[in-house]
Coordinates of all heavy atoms in Angstrom, one line a residue:
P1 N 0.8 -1.2 0.0 CA 0.0 0.0 0.0 C 0.9 1.3 0.0 O 0.4 2.4 -0.4 CB -0.8 -0.1 1.3 CG -0.9 -1.6 1.6 CD 0.4 -2.1 1.1
H2 N 2.1 1.2 0.5 CA 2.9 2.4 0.5 C 3.9 2.6 -0.5 O 4.2 3.7 -1.0 CB 3.6 2.4 1.9 CG 2.6 2.5 3.1 ND1 1.9 3.6 3.4 CD2 2.2 1.5 3.9 CE1 1.1 3.3 4.4 NE2 1.2 2.0 4.7
I3 N 4.6 1.5 -1.0 CA 5.6 1.6 -2.1 C 5.3 0.6 -3.2 O 6.2 0.5 -4.1 CB 7.0 1.5 -1.5 CG1 7.2 0.1 -0.8 CG2 7.3 2.6 -0.5 CD1 8.7 -0.2 -0.4
G4 N 4.2 -0.1 -3.1 CA 4.0 -1.1 -4.2 C 3.7 -0.6 -5.6 O 3.8 -1.3 -6.5
N5 N 3.4 0.7 -5.6 CA 3.1 1.3 -6.9 C 4.4 1.9 -7.6 O 4.4 2.3 -8.8 CB 2.1 2.5 -6.8 CG 2.7 3.6 -5.9 OD1 3.4 3.3 -5.0 ND2 2.3 4.8 -6.2
L6 N 5.5 1.8 -6.9 CA 6.8 2.3 -7.5 C 7.6 1.2 -8.1 O 7.6 0.0 -7.7 CB 7.6 2.9 -6.4 CG 7.0 4.0 -5.6 CD1 7.9 4.4 -4.4 CD2 6.8 5.2 -6.5
Q7 N 8.3 1.5 -9.2 CA 9.2 0.5 -9.8 C 10.3 0.2 -8.8 O 10.8 1.1 -8.0 CB 9.9 1.1 -11.1 CG 8.9 1.2 -12.2 CD 8.5 -0.1 -12.8 OE1 9.2 -1.1 -12.7 NE2 7.3 -0.2 -13.4
I8 N 10.8 -1.0 -8.7 CA 11.7 -1.4 -7.6 C 13.0 -0.5 -7.8 O 13.6 -0.1 -6.8 CB 12.1 -2.9 -7.8 CG1 12.8 -3.3 -6.5 CG2 12.9 -3.2 -8.9 CD1 11.8 -3.8 -5.4
A9 N 13.4 -0.2 -9.0 CA 14.7 0.6 -9.2 C 14.5 2.0 -8.8 O 15.4 2.8 -8.6 CB 15.2 0.5 -10.6
A10 N 13.2 2.5 -8.7 CA 12.9 3.9 -8.4 C 12.7 4.1 -6.9 O 12.7 5.3 -6.5 CB 11.7 4.3 -9.2
I11 N 12.7 3.1 -6.1 CA 12.4 3.3 -4.7 C 13.7 3.9 -4.1 O 14.8 3.4 -4.2 CB 12.1 2.0 -4.0 CG1 10.8 1.5 -4.6 CG2 12.0 2.1 -2.5 CD1 10.3 0.1 -4.1
Q12 N 13.5 5.0 -3.3 CA 14.5 5.7 -2.7 C 14.4 5.5 -1.1 O 13.3 5.1 -0.6 CB 14.5 7.2 -3.0 CG 14.6 7.5 -4.5 CD 16.0 7.2 -5.0 OE1 17.0 7.5 -4.3 NE2 16.1 6.5 -6.1
A13 N 15.4 5.9 -0.4 CA 15.4 5.9 1.1 C 14.2 6.7 1.6 O 13.6 6.3 2.6 CB 16.7 6.3 1.7
D14 N 14.0 7.8 1.0 CA 12.8 8.6 1.5 C 11.5 7.9 1.4 O 10.6 8.1 2.2 CB 12.8 10.0 0.7 CG 13.9 10.9 1.1 OD1 14.5 10.7 2.1 OD2 14.1 11.8 0.2
D15 N 11.3 7.1 0.3 CA 10.1 6.3 0.2 C 9.9 5.3 1.3 O 8.9 5.1 1.9 CB 10.1 5.6 -1.2 CG 10.1 6.5 -2.4 OD1 9.5 7.6 -2.4 OD2 10.9 6.3 -3.3
V16 N 11.0 4.6 1.6 CA 11.0 3.6 2.7 C 10.8 4.3 4.0 O 10.0 3.9 4.9 CB 12.3 2.7 2.7 CG1 12.3 1.8 3.9 CG2 12.5 2.1 1.4
Q17 N 11.4 5.5 4.2 CA 11.3 6.2 5.5 C 9.8 6.7 5.6 O 9.2 6.6 6.7 CB 12.2 7.5 5.5 CG 12.2 8.2 6.8 CD 12.8 7.3 7.9 OE1 14.1 7.1 7.9 NE2 12.1 7.0 8.9
K18 N 9.2 7.2 4.5 CA 7.8 7.6 4.5 C 6.9 6.5 4.9 O 6.0 6.6 5.7 CB 7.4 8.3 3.2 CG 6.0 8.8 3.2 CD 5.7 9.5 1.9 CE 4.3 10.0 1.9 NZ 3.9 10.4 0.6
M19 N 7.2 5.3 4.4 CA 6.4 4.1 4.7 C 6.4 3.8 6.2 O 5.4 3.6 6.8 CB 6.9 2.9 3.9 CG 6.2 1.6 4.2 SD 6.9 0.1 3.5 CE 8.4 -0.1 4.5
L20 N 7.6 3.8 6.7 CA 7.8 3.5 8.2 C 7.1 4.5 9.0 O 6.4 4.2 10.0 CB 9.3 3.4 8.5 CG 10.1 2.3 7.8 CD1 11.5 2.4 8.3 CD2 9.5 0.9 8.1
N21 N 7.3 5.8 8.7 CA 6.6 6.9 9.4 C 5.1 6.8 9.4 O 4.5 7.0 10.4 CB 7.2 8.2 8.9 CG 8.6 8.5 9.2 OD1 9.3 7.7 10.0 ND2 9.2 9.5 8.5
T22 N 4.6 6.5 8.2 CA 3.2 6.3 8.0 C 2.6 5.2 8.8 O 1.6 5.3 9.5 CB 2.8 6.2 6.5 OG1 3.3 7.3 5.8 CG2 1.3 6.1 6.4
L23 N 3.3 4.1 8.8 CA 2.8 2.9 9.6 C 2.8 3.2 11.1 O 1.9 2.9 11.8 CB 3.8 1.7 9.3 CG 3.7 1.1 8.0 CD1 4.8 0.0 7.7 CD2 2.3 0.4 7.7
K24 N 3.8 4.0 11.5 CA 3.9 4.3 13.0 C 2.7 5.3 13.3 O 2.0 5.2 14.3 CB 5.2 5.0 13.3 CG 5.3 5.3 14.8 CD 6.7 5.7 15.2 CE 6.7 5.9 16.8 NZ 7.9 6.5 17.2
A25 N 2.5 6.3 12.4 CA 1.4 7.3 12.5 C 0.1 6.6 12.5 O -0.9 7.0 13.2 CB 1.5 8.3 11.4
E26 N -0.1 5.5 11.8 CA -1.3 4.7 11.8 C -1.6 3.9 13.0 O -2.6 3.2 13.2 CB -1.4 3.7 10.6 CG -1.5 4.5 9.2 CD -1.3 3.5 8.1 OE1 -0.9 2.3 8.3 OE2 -1.5 3.9 6.9
G27 N -0.6 3.9 13.9 CA -0.7 3.2 15.2 C -0.3 1.7 15.2 O -0.7 0.9 16.0
K28 N 0.5 1.3 14.1 CA 0.9 -0.1 14.0 C 2.0 -0.3 15.1 O 2.6 0.6 15.6 CB 1.6 -0.3 12.7 CG 0.7 -0.1 11.5 CD -0.4 -1.0 11.4 CE -1.1 -0.9 10.1 NZ -2.5 -0.9 10.2
F29 N 2.0 -1.6 15.6 CA 3.0 -1.9 16.6 C 4.4 -2.0 16.0 O 4.6 -2.1 14.8 CB 2.6 -3.4 17.1 CG 1.4 -3.5 17.9 CD1 0.2 -3.9 17.4 CD2 1.5 -3.1 19.3 CE1 -0.9 -4.0 18.2 CE2 0.3 -3.2 20.1 CZ -0.8 -3.6 19.5
Y30 N 5.3 -1.9 17.0 CA 6.8 -1.9 16.6 C 7.1 -3.1 15.7 O 7.7 -3.0 14.7 CB 7.6 -1.8 17.8 CG 9.1 -2.2 17.6 CD1 9.9 -1.3 17.0 CD2 9.6 -3.5 17.8 CE1 11.2 -1.6 16.7 CE2 10.9 -3.8 17.5 CZ 11.7 -2.8 16.9 OH 13.0 -3.1 16.6
S31 N 6.6 -4.3 16.2 CA 6.9 -5.5 15.5 C 6.4 -5.5 14.0 O 7.1 -6.0 13.1 CB 6.4 -6.8 16.2 OG 5.0 -6.7 16.3
T32 N 5.2 -4.9 13.8 CA 4.7 -4.9 12.4 C 5.6 -4.0 11.6 O 5.9 -4.3 10.4 CB 3.3 -4.2 12.5 OG1 2.5 -5.1 13.4 CG2 2.6 -4.1 11.1
I33 N 6.0 -2.8 12.1 CA 6.9 -1.9 11.3 C 8.2 -2.6 11.1 O 8.7 -2.5 9.9 CB 7.0 -0.5 12.1 CG1 5.6 0.1 12.2 CG2 8.0 0.3 11.4 CD1 5.6 1.3 13.1
K34 N 8.7 -3.2 12.0 CA 10.1 -3.9 11.9 C 10.0 -5.0 10.8 O 10.9 -5.1 9.9 CB 10.5 -4.5 13.2 CG 11.9 -5.1 13.2 CD 13.0 -4.1 13.2 CE 14.3 -4.8 13.5 NZ 14.9 -5.4 12.3
K35 N 8.9 -5.7 10.8 CA 8.7 -6.8 9.7 C 8.6 -6.2 8.4 O 9.2 -6.8 7.4 CB 7.5 -7.7 10.0 CG 7.7 -8.6 11.2 CD 6.5 -9.3 11.6 CE 6.7 -10.1 12.9 NZ 5.4 -10.4 13.6
A36 N 7.9 -5.0 8.3 CA 7.8 -4.4 6.9 C 9.2 -3.9 6.5 O 9.6 -4.1 5.3 CB 6.9 -3.2 7.0
Y37 N 10.0 -3.3 7.4 CA 11.3 -2.9 7.1 C 12.2 -4.1 6.7 O 12.9 -4.0 5.7 CB 11.9 -2.1 8.2 CG 13.4 -1.9 8.0 CD1 13.9 -0.8 7.3 CD2 14.4 -2.7 8.6 CE1 15.2 -0.6 7.1 CE2 15.7 -2.5 8.4 CZ 16.1 -1.5 7.7 OH 17.4 -1.3 7.4
D38 N 12.2 -5.1 7.5 CA 13.0 -6.3 7.2 C 12.7 -6.9 5.8 O 13.6 -7.3 5.1 CB 12.8 -7.3 8.3 CG 13.4 -7.0 9.6 OD1 14.2 -6.0 9.6 OD2 13.0 -7.6 10.7
A39 N 11.4 -6.9 5.4 CA 11.0 -7.4 4.1 C 11.6 -6.6 3.0 O 12.2 -7.1 2.0 CB 9.5 -7.5 4.0
V40 N 11.5 -5.3 3.2 CA 12.0 -4.4 2.1 C 13.5 -4.5 2.1 O 14.1 -4.7 1.0 CB 11.6 -2.9 2.4 CG1 12.4 -2.0 1.4 CG2 10.1 -2.7 2.2
N41 N 14.2 -4.5 3.2 CA 15.6 -4.6 3.3 C 16.1 -5.9 2.7 O 17.1 -6.0 1.9 CB 16.1 -4.5 4.8 CG 17.6 -4.5 4.9 OD1 18.3 -4.0 4.1 ND2 18.0 -5.1 6.0
E42 N 15.5 -7.0 3.0 CA 15.9 -8.3 2.5 C 15.7 -8.4 1.0 O 16.5 -9.0 0.2 CB 15.2 -9.5 3.2 CG 15.8 -10.8 2.9 CD 15.3 -11.9 3.7 OE1 14.6 -11.7 4.7 OE2 15.5 -13.1 3.3
C43 N 14.6 -7.9 0.5 CA 14.3 -7.8 -0.9 C 15.4 -7.1 -1.7 O 16.0 -7.6 -2.7 CB 13.0 -7.2 -1.2 SG 12.6 -7.0 -3.0
F44 N 15.9 -6.0 -1.2 CA 16.9 -5.2 -1.9 C 18.3 -5.9 -1.7 O 19.1 -5.9 -2.5 CB 16.9 -3.8 -1.4 CG 16.0 -2.9 -2.1 CD1 14.7 -2.7 -1.6 CD2 16.3 -2.4 -3.4 CE1 13.8 -1.9 -2.3 CE2 15.4 -1.6 -4.1 CZ 14.1 -1.4 -3.5
R45 N 18.5 -6.5 -0.5 CA 19.8 -7.1 -0.3 C 19.9 -8.3 -1.3 O 21.0 -8.5 -1.9 CB 19.8 -7.7 1.2 CG 21.2 -8.1 1.7 CD 21.2 -8.4 3.1 NE 20.2 -9.1 3.7 CZ 20.1 -10.5 3.7 NH1 21.1 -11.2 3.1 NH2 19.1 -11.1 4.2
T46 N 18.8 -9.1 -1.5 CA 18.9 -10.2 -2.4 C 19.1 -9.6 -3.9 O 19.9 -10.1 -4.6 CB 17.6 -10.9 -2.4 OG1 17.3 -11.4 -1.1 CG2 17.6 -12.1 -3.4

């Protein structure tokens, strides 16, 4: 919902930061936000 509309090569750190900030503002738990970050990080690491 936050960065899925972007081409993978076009995703910037600001996009990921905005996703994390929005999830926190929506009241998501720490573990939920961390899992989202870990998924993005692992995708790009691969």
Side-chain angles (χ1 to χ4, degrees):
H2 299 283
I3 61 173
N5 61 326
L6 302 171
Q7 291 289 333
I8 198 88
I11 296 175
Q12 300 292 316
D14 287 343
D15 300 316
V16 179
Q17 187 70 64
K18 184 178 177 188
M19 175 189 76
L20 299 178
N21 294 346
T22 302
L23 290 171
K24 187 173 183 187
E26 290 172 352
K28 302 293 189 224
F29 287 102
Y30 167 78
S31 60
T32 301
I33 296 169
K34 181 77 167 80
K35 286 174 188 161
Y37 169 79
D38 289 345
V40 172
N41 185 32
E42 191 170 347
C43 175
F44 277 97
R45 195 169 47 83
T46 302

